[in-house]
Amino acid sequence: MQAVADDVFYSIYQYLGFGLIFAVICMIALPEVEHKGLKKCLIHQWHKLRTDKITRYKFAFFTILFMVLSRTLICRSIWQCPWENIIGEWGVFASDGTLNTEGMLNVLLFVPLAYF
């Protein structure tokens, strides 16, 4: 019984953040889509992307932001105990000798985010 409860808790814990973000985006976008229609909204956004520099920057910013959130919150593997290893592995190699990519991914994801 404990294993089932743990499995349910970890499933909710892992996907709740993405569900909340997706719900907020849908609540913002759905009224416009219902009013104009999906095809007109997509064509309008495509036209704005092609003609407006600020819209391209916003699009790139939100794409990178989603990548950061995806890596750090949404698609993160869940620990059995989140408080077990708070600091984690910050070196190039993990304690078992494998290559640790966390530092490189932080640079690759956060430098463009800081630019935008």
Side-chain angles (χ1 to χ4, degrees), residues 5-72:
D6 286 346
D7 195 30
V8 169
F9 174 72
Y10 292 135
S11 294
I12 292 171
Y13 172 66
Q14 188 169 8
Y15 298 110
L16 181 64
F18 178 70
L20 292 173
I21 291 169
F22 186 72
V24 168
I25 291 170
C26 287
M27 293 298 292
I28 293 169
L30 277 178
E32 184 175 350
V33 171
E34 287 175 350
H35 183 267
K36 294 180 181 178
L38 181 62
K39 186 176 178 180
K40 285 184 181 180
C41 286
L42 290 175
I43 290 171
H44 176 70
Q45 290 300 321
W46 178 254
H47 179 68
K48 280 179 65 174
L49 273 172
R50 291 180 61 202
T51 59
D52 188 21
K53 185 177 181 179
I54 300 297
T55 302
R56 285 192 298 267
Y57 279 132
K58 287 179 185 179
F59 183 78
F61 170 75
F62 285 117
T63 301
I64 292 171
L65 181 64
F66 183 79
M67 290 170 64
V68 168
L69 289 175
S70 176
R71 179 66 183 157
T72 58

Side-chain angles (χ1 to χ4, degrees), residues 10 13-15 73-74 76-82:
Y10 292 135
Y13 172 66
Q14 188 169 8
Y15 298 110
L73 295 176
I74 299 169
R76 185 176 202 112
S77 61
I78 300 301
W79 307 320
Q80 294 297 328
C81 177

